[in-house]
Amino acid sequence: MPLLACAMLVGCWLQLRQAGLWPQAAYAAMVLGAAVALAGLAWLRLQGPAGRQRWGGTRALLAACAAAELVYGLAGWRAVPRLQDRLAPGLWGASLQVDGVVRGLPGRDGRGARFEFAPRPGRHGLPSLLLVSWSAAAGREPPRLRAGQAWSLPLRLRPARGLSNPGGADAELRWLRQGVGGLASVRHARGLPPPRRRAQWDQAGAWQRLQALREGLRARLYLALAGHPRAGTLVALALGDQAAVGEAEWGVYRATGVAHLMAISGLHVSLQAWLAGALVGGLWRRLRWRGVPLPLCLPAPWPVGAARALAALAYAALAGLGVPAQRALLMLVVALALRLWARRLGWAQVLGAALCAVLLADPWAAAQPGTWLSFGAVAALLLSEARGRPGPDRPRPWWRAAWARLRAAARAQWAVSIALAPLTLVFFQQVSLVAPLANALAIPAVTLGVLPLAVGGFLLPAPLDGLAWRLAAGLQDAVLVPLDRMASWPGASWQSAAPCGAVLALALPAVLALLLPWPWRLRLPGVAVLALLLLAPAARPRPGHLEAWMADVGQGSAIVLRTRRHTLVFDTGPPLGRGMDAGSRVLLPLLRQLGERRLDLVVLSHADADHIAGAAALARAYPRTPAVGSVAARRLRALGFGSASRCLAGQAWTWDGVRFTWLHPEPGSRLREDNAGSCVLHVASAHGSVLLTGDLERSQELALLRAAPTPGLRADLLVAGHHGSRGSSSEDFLRAVAPRAVAVQAGLLNRYGHPHPEFLARLRELGLHPGRTDLDGALAWSDREPRSLLGWRAARGRFWQSPAQRGL
């Protein structure tokens, strides 16, 4: 079974790397052929010892190939119709009145609401599911939305296209798994008719009733806690709505390595199943039927197993049957089935069977960090349990028993921390060094206290439900206090560049060497390999060279400049809704992917929100970083930066042979925080140069032409001012700069129409074809090839990525 599970992982990985899909019939043929091959090999195995001996290793190899082919074909066969069910390109940017039904659990915050919307069938070009944002700025405060309501909404349609950056979350793959075929926003919501509770074309009655139940339970919890800051955490634990947890609170959980406790994980599902099994088992062993004990009629493991499975299913359904809940449910059901059928298999066999079930149900789970982390944690715990399994029971004092349990818990924490270190470096480029201590505190409190109270409150009548939730919120507050202090400790988390393939290949034997009961002389190489993982140097430009990353932050600006030993961030991007910003969602993952442990300077060109919204997140992640910009010094210090100063023309410095020069604003001018006061930075190495102009307008460009000599303006790369607006990057300015490459940072189908057609026409006249973050994702530039820009979408090339439409 472990061999088949590994083969399926390989098949999923290969299919996820496809740049384009084949016809669905080809995948169906692969599935059919693999199923026939596996059935034939299973029949041969049943032919007795002679058949098994005859095939031996050849049969195992053929079974592995067939399993990989099966899951490869299954993933492709399921992906083809989902890609076909996408918003037609002809409707990109269109505004339509759409009839449909609210699905799922609507999310809500101070900025508005976000929910799944199933349009009425029959409208050509519309997908079967849209993800809709209803902003409070759309004309009125969004009403209370409930699952199953039928609305007729004025929607502005967009493709299911997310931000594309190194280290960032792949929203498009998530939407593919959820079946979301397009995005939309509500426009001009005044005068909308009231919703209808149900719709005739809604075929998912049971699903809608489940979502309506979840919505009612969430409203009941929020009402009982009346604005308590931990209400969102309880909603995340009980109902699986992780968006209810604040970004600052998430930061504490990530820094201390306990973020897994805030998700619907296998630990939570198993706890609910264990509680139900313990209750049913205790009752079953005490009940009688006509004087006969029930265990004599039906052995206790069967009703206990059924109770555990039903409790796990109920909790997973309460959490919305999200992918993590499905994964945990499948793992538990497979383990229960093997136990009830008296199949005494090793832990590797059970884990392999669970992984096979998960990949067959969701072939794209192989791309999710949660899959690797959850199975890795379970494997580490099972290894630790097998290593520390006690011998025959002997009478011993209570303090020896307590010490043994404490050692077992410490061994489990050690095993999980060691096993997950390589995976967390791969996925998040950081490892929490305080995670063992933080988990030792948080796991018992959250798992045995907060979670049962949060879920149990739904089973209690008022006012007992409010009492249970207030106790759970108070306990979570008590847990958060030491976690917050741990997160602020120096060196609480370690950041490192993503390890290379060669070092990563050595991680598995290194982890096994540390977890298995081997002599220490055999474990020392494992310690050396893990140290190499933690200390892996980041790939940086050579001395005297310069590189730039123009991040894909939507309608905003965020640029990373790197020399051999220094890093500068120019602007920090816009807000991204629901309490999120480009700093936490885009820049920090990008900087971690690049292996940046510190920043040397943060530049905020001016005070518009699309340029500074992510500054506070950077200041928290990189404390004491100096900041420069056309923003008031007190405002910069309030954001959390170590020092604050203003950019003034004529100031210059050199890093690693690369010269940085301010060109605007002029010394002695009054501080302006608008577009006209934008900082202009010229960066030049011996091999290439970059010009960053913020949101500089045409009048300031002309003043800059008069004040600065033309040679001082020339640059190989120009990041277009004001996102390629009509009033920036004038023809005279472009001729003076004479760029060989132009980058435009703008949001797809943004309401400002950036980049403007007139700006694009001026570039065409000069023979320039700009790189665009809205079409190409993050853009990378290096002075080793100053004429070219590499788009992150083209570098990755996955089949689920929405194709670029150059005519936009």
Side-chain angles (χ1 to χ4, degrees):
M1 195 60 71
L3 178 62
L4 293 182
C6 292
M8 286 187 174
L9 270 179
V10 172
C12 289
W13 180 79
L14 290 175
Q15 199 279 328
L16 285 166
R17 296 187 65 82
Q18 277 193 284
L21 292 178
W22 304 332
Q24 193 173 19
Y27 293 114
M30 291 184 67
V31 173
L32 180 61
V36 170
L38 287 173
L41 291 170
W43 179 81
L44 286 174
R45 181 175 178 83
L46 298 176
Q47 300 308 303
R52 289 195 295 269
Q53 184 177 5
R54 185 182 307 124
W55 285 88
T58 303
R59 181 190 59 80
L61 180 61
L62 291 175
C65 293
E69 180 185 352
L70 175 67
V71 76
Y72 188 103
L74 184 62
W77 181 78
R78 292 177 60 182
V80 170
R82 298 196 183 196
L83 289 189
Q84 294 172 347
D85 185 30
R86 280 187 166 180
L87 183 68
L91 294 180
W92 289 19
S95 295
L96 297 177
Q97 192 78 20
V98 181
D99 297 337
V101 180
V102 176
R103 289 186 54 187
L105 188 66
R108 191 180 181 93
D109 61 9
R111 299 176 181 269
R114 190 176 178 92
F115 56 96
E116 293 179 353
F117 192 67
R120 184 175 185 174
R123 189 109 184 212
H124 179 69
L126 283 180
S128 58
L129 190 64
L130 292 168
L131 187 60
V132 179
S133 299
W134 192 332
S135 172
R140 69 172 185 179
E141 187 72 18
R144 180 179 293 277
L145 299 165
R146 295 184 180 275
Q149 286 181 339
W151 283 88
S152 180
L153 296 175
L155 299 179
R156 187 171 187 266
L157 303 172
R158 294 177 289 127
R161 190 182 182 92
L163 304 178
S164 180
N165 297 279
D170 196 334
E172 292 175 47
L173 178 58
R174 182 177 73 249
W175 291 329
L176 174 74
R177 300 173 71 197
Q178 296 172 350
V180 174
L183 310 179
S185 56
V186 177
R187 296 171 58 87
H188 311 301
R190 296 183 184 278
L192 285 178
R196 288 168 287 172
R197 183 59 185 163
R198 293 295 303 278
Q200 295 179 354
W201 62 86
D202 177 23
Q203 300 298 322
W207 176 254
Q208 297 294 359
R209 284 192 289 272
L210 173 62
Q211 301 308 317
L213 172 64
R214 296 178 67 222
E215 170 65 24
L217 293 176
R218 183 176 65 172
R220 179 181 160 196
L221 190 151
Y222 276 128
L223 182 63
L225 290 183
H228 195 286
R230 301 287 85 77
T233 305
L234 299 189
V235 168
L237 287 170
L239 300 175
D241 184 13
Q242 296 184 30
V245 182
E247 188 64 29
E249 192 172 341
W250 270 123
V252 174
Y253 296 146
R254 293 190 193 102
T256 53
V258 301
H260 62 95
L261 290 177
M262 301 302 115
I264 304 299
S265 64
L267 180 63
H268 297 165
V269 175
S270 300
L271 174 66
Q272 305 304 317
W274 179 82
L275 291 174
L279 178 61
V280 171
L283 291 175
W284 193 264
R285 294 180 180 90
R286 288 167 175 78
L287 294 178
R288 294 174 175 268
W289 174 257
R290 295 181 179 181
V292 179
L294 287 182
L296 296 180
C297 301
L298 181 65
W302 286 94
V304 169
R308 288 176 174 172
L310 290 175
L313 177 61
Y315 180 53
L318 189 66
L321 284 175
V323 174
Q326 294 178 24
R327 183 169 58 241
L329 179 62
L330 281 171
M331 292 175 64
L332 181 65
V333 168
V334 169
L336 286 174
L338 291 174
R339 181 176 181 182
L340 291 177
W341 289 336
R343 298 299 301 270
R344 292 188 173 276
L345 301 178
W347 65 267
Q349 299 286 340
V350 175
L351 203 61
L355 181 56
C356 289
V358 168
L359 294 179
L360 288 173
D362 180 18
W364 303 300
Q368 302 302 307
T371 302
W372 295 88
L373 294 174
S374 60
F375 277 95
V378 172
L381 288 173
L382 292 174
L383 265 177
S384 172
E385 181 183 356
R387 173 187 165 192
R389 189 169 295 156
D393 290 337
R394 296 175 182 175
R396 51 182 175 177
W398 66 267
W399 58 270
R400 285 188 177 273
W403 175 248
R405 293 191 181 94
L406 183 61
R407 289 185 60 189
R411 186 186 306 113
Q413 287 294 329
W414 161 263
V416 171
S417 300
I418 291 298
L420 298 188
L423 293 175
T424 52
L425 281 179
V426 170
F427 294 122
F428 310 115
Q429 292 78 53
Q430 65 176 359
V431 175
S432 176
L433 301 182
V434 299
L437 179 60
N439 278 281
L441 169 68
I443 287 178
V446 173
T447 306
L448 302 179
V450 179
L451 179 61
L453 288 171
V455 176
F458 295 128
L459 306 177
L460 298 175
L464 296 180
D465 57 350
L467 177 61
W469 288 327
R470 283 191 290 272
L471 288 174
L475 181 57
Q476 185 65 23
D477 271 334
V479 171
L480 193 58
V481 171
L483 292 182
D484 195 12
R485 292 182 179 177
M486 291 182 196
S488 63
W489 289 352
S493 62
W494 179 268
Q495 296 185 16
S496 179
C500 64
V503 176
L504 190 60
L506 297 174
L508 179 59
V511 168
L512 290 177
L514 291 174
L515 296 184
L516 293 175
W518 291 353
W520 274 106
R521 64 178 180 275
L522 297 180
R523 296 190 194 184
L524 289 179
V527 175
V529 171
L530 289 185
L532 185 60
L533 279 172
L534 293 174
L535 301 174
R540 301 195 64 90
R542 295 177 180 176
H545 283 267
L546 170 69
E547 73 174 25
W549 281 91
M550 282 61 67
D552 180 13
V553 293
Q555 185 61 21
S557 177
I559 303 160
V560 179
L561 299 177
R562 306 171 76 216
T563 65
R564 180 62 180 176
R565 292 175 298 176
H566 295 83
T567 303
L568 179 148
V569 174
F570 190 96
D571 287 335
T572 58
L576 298 179
R578 302 201 70 172
M580 298 180 295
D581 56 67
S584 58
R585 291 296 177 180
V586 176
L587 277 178
L588 288 181
L590 171 60
L591 292 169
R592 288 169 182 153
Q593 182 77 15
L594 296 175
E596 299 294 348
R597 297 190 182 125
R598 66 181 179 87
L599 295 181
D600 296 283
L601 186 64
V602 173
V603 177
L604 302 176
S605 64
H606 60 296
D608 285 357
D610 59 333
H611 290 253
I612 69 168
L618 287 188
R620 288 193 300 268
Y622 298 95
R624 295 181 295 278
T625 300
V628 175
S630 288
V631 182
R634 55 178 176 78
R635 188 173 179 181
L636 291 176
R637 286 191 291 268
L639 290 172
F641 292 103
S643 63
S645 58
R646 186 183 173 193
C647 56
L648 293 173
Q651 297 176 344
W653 70 98
T654 300
W655 283 343
D656 306 319
V658 179
R659 185 166 180 80
F660 295 73
T661 306
W662 295 116
L663 302 181
H664 187 269
E666 290 296 323
S669 61
R670 67 182 182 87
L671 175 65
R672 295 189 61 173
E673 296 187 335
D674 56 1
N675 292 350
S678 294
C679 299
V680 176
L681 179 63
H682 187 273
V683 187
S685 72
H687 312 278
S689 54
V690 177
L691 182 63
L692 311 178
T693 62
D695 278 356
L696 210 64
E697 302 285 356
R698 187 189 303 263
S699 57
Q700 286 79 40
E701 289 178 355
L702 295 176
L704 190 60
L705 289 176
R706 292 192 296 267
T710 299
L713 286 176
R714 293 193 181 276
D716 295 294
L717 170 65
L718 171 66
V719 179
H722 204 182
H723 321 289
S725 70
R726 180 182 182 182
S728 296
S729 301
S730 61
E731 183 176 355
D732 291 340
F733 187 75
L734 289 173
R735 292 188 182 278
V737 176
R740 294 195 278 180
V742 177
V744 180
Q745 287 187 295
L748 183 68
L749 298 171
N750 61 85
R751 59 188 177 127
Y752 305 102
H754 296 157
H756 197 275
E758 291 189 14
F759 162 76
L760 296 176
R762 290 196 291 269
L763 292 182
R764 284 194 297 270
E765 290 177 0
L766 297 175
L768 296 171
H769 302 279
R772 296 172 52 175
T773 58
D774 58 338
L775 303 182
D776 305 315
L779 299 170
W781 176 89
S782 173
D783 61 3
R784 291 177 295 178
E785 297 181 11
R787 292 179 178 271
S788 62
L789 286 167
L790 176 62
W792 184 244
R793 285 183 176 274
R796 297 185 73 234
R798 300 295 184 260
F799 68 85
W800 59 83
Q801 293 177 346
S802 185
Q805 300 290 323
R806 287 283 168 181
L808 294 176

